[in-house]
Amino acid sequence: MKLLRYGDKGREKPGLLDESGTLRDLSGQVDDIAGEVLSDGGLARLRELDPATLPAVEGTPRLGPCVGGVSKIPAIGLNYSDHAAESNLPVPSEPIIFTKAVSSLSGPYDDVERPRNSQSLDWEVELAIVIGKRTKYVTEEAAMDHIAGFAVMNDVSEREFQAKRQGQWTKGKSHDTFAPLGPWLVTRDEVGDPHVLDLWLDVNGERRQTGNTRTLIFNVPFIVSYVSQFMTLQPGDVIPTGTPPGVGMGMNPQQFLNPGDVMELGITGLGSQRQTVISA
């Protein structure tokens, strides 16, 4: 299934994309794509519905972040060996975890803000894991059963804030609009193996990133198990899993985003995003 949220910011409604590409309203079935809805039982109940019986949504409404009720975004850094190399950093011996503020979530086609005093705004296409049930000390073998599905995320980053302004990475990762998520959550049964997915990102029509999840340093079940050793994951929590090479910071000379620039990105089977950069 492809589950999504549509409507004005902060007032999104739950929806489903049927096989014909028609957006169907789920408001009469669930309150949101969140919480218990993301559990195996909740998803099974949605699968039992005949999409043709659900109201079709007219027009082209705004799409919001595809998951609601997100309590945290523990992200994984430097999880592609070739990205670590372009960053002039060693391949990590265990996953690097940093936090993106929940307030950074935005829709897949919303504008991305360049913060005030920003000089180094960068892009990062990433596979995002969406947790489906409470997860604490889960084993690697059982980890996939705790995943509701997957989505595209652009882990937008301000590199000077991230690396040169003291402290941890969070301040360079958490500005409003720095976590476009969607367009939809694709349930894990439909994704199949998450380690064979192509990723890509263009800036102003020019290809910047090309990668495949088969080159992840730490794979999906290991990441979920690892993160759950340090914090309890709740339904709807989002784990971005790292980005392949081709970010602006790694180019020679470095290239960063300016107002008016357009990012387009996507992952096989998970859909695509498009954002225009504006000034905050």
Side-chain angles (χ1 to χ4, degrees):
M1 288 186 299
K2 294 181 175 69
L3 303 175
L4 52 86
R5 300 167 72 244
Y6 70 96
D8 295 339
K9 186 176 181 178
R11 301 177 61 186
E12 292 91 350
K13 297 179 180 180
L16 177 152
L17 192 75
D18 69 18
E19 292 185 357
S20 71
T22 300
L23 173 55
R24 301 283 180 172
D25 179 51
L26 283 172
S27 297
Q29 307 296 324
V30 297
D31 293 332
D32 201 354
I33 307 300
E36 178 63 23
V37 172
L38 298 169
S39 69
D40 286 348
L43 294 175
R45 286 188 287 274
L46 292 182
R47 287 191 192 95
E48 292 174 355
L49 299 173
D50 179 359
T53 66
L54 300 171
V57 178
E58 301 296 330
T60 55
R62 168 189 174 268
L63 298 186
C66 58
V67 181
V70 180
S71 73
K72 53 188 169 295
I73 309 173
I76 308 300
L78 296 175
N79 198 26
Y80 288 76
S81 57
D82 35 11
H83 174 52
E86 72 172 352
S87 303
N88 294 314
L89 294 169
V91 172
S93 59
E94 58 183 295
I96 295 171
I97 301 175
F98 64 90
T99 298
K100 291 179 77 76
V102 173
S103 56
S104 68
L105 283 169
S106 61
Y109 310 118
D110 291 347
D111 293 336
V112 165
E113 293 182 358
R114 187 175 75 161
R116 297 175 184 177
N117 304 311
S118 167
Q119 300 296 324
S120 308
L121 187 64
D122 210 346
W123 55 84
E124 294 190 12
V125 59
E126 305 205 6
L127 173 70
I129 300 166
V130 178
I131 297 298
K133 58 185 175 183
R134 185 178 184 274
T135 303
K136 183 175 183 177
Y137 295 127
V138 70
T139 65
E140 190 173 347
E141 293 72 22
M144 290 297 290
D145 293 336
H146 288 246
I147 295 173
F150 301 89
V152 181
M153 177 179 280
N154 189 353
D155 176 19
V156 183
S157 307
E158 212 303 331
R159 300 302 189 185
E160 183 186 8
F161 296 178
Q162 176 185 352
K164 299 180 180 179
R165 295 289 297 274
Q166 299 294 315
Q168 300 176 340
W169 291 1
T170 302
K171 66 180 71 173
K173 296 284 191 172
S174 294
H175 187 80
D176 294 350
T177 74
F178 271 24
L181 182 67
W184 33 75
L185 164 70
V186 183
T187 52
R188 72 174 190 269
D189 61 306
E190 186 168 325
V191 173
D193 183 359
H195 305 107
V196 293
L197 305 178
D198 291 325
L199 305 87
W200 59 272
L201 183 144
D202 296 344
V203 177
N204 298 330
E206 295 187 8
R207 184 58 44 94
R208 290 289 183 257
Q209 289 186 273
T210 302
N212 189 284
T213 54
R214 68 171 59 93
T215 63
L216 284 167
I217 298 168
F218 305 105
N219 67 21
V220 167
F222 183 87
I223 288 170
V224 172
S225 175
Y226 182 87
V227 175
S228 79
Q229 310 304 307
F230 301 96
M231 64 191 78
T232 300
L233 298 166
Q234 303 292 347
D237 285 351
V238 177
I239 307 177
T241 58
T243 197
V247 299
M249 178 182 65
M251 300 179 70
N252 186 16
Q254 293 181 334
Q255 296 186 22
F256 296 112
L257 296 163
N258 294 298
D261 287 341
V262 175
M263 293 175 283
E264 296 177 275
L265 58 146
I267 300 177
T268 303
L270 302 184
S272 60
Q273 302 184 352
R274 185 181 190 275
Q275 298 107 29
T276 300
V277 179
I278 63 171
S279 297

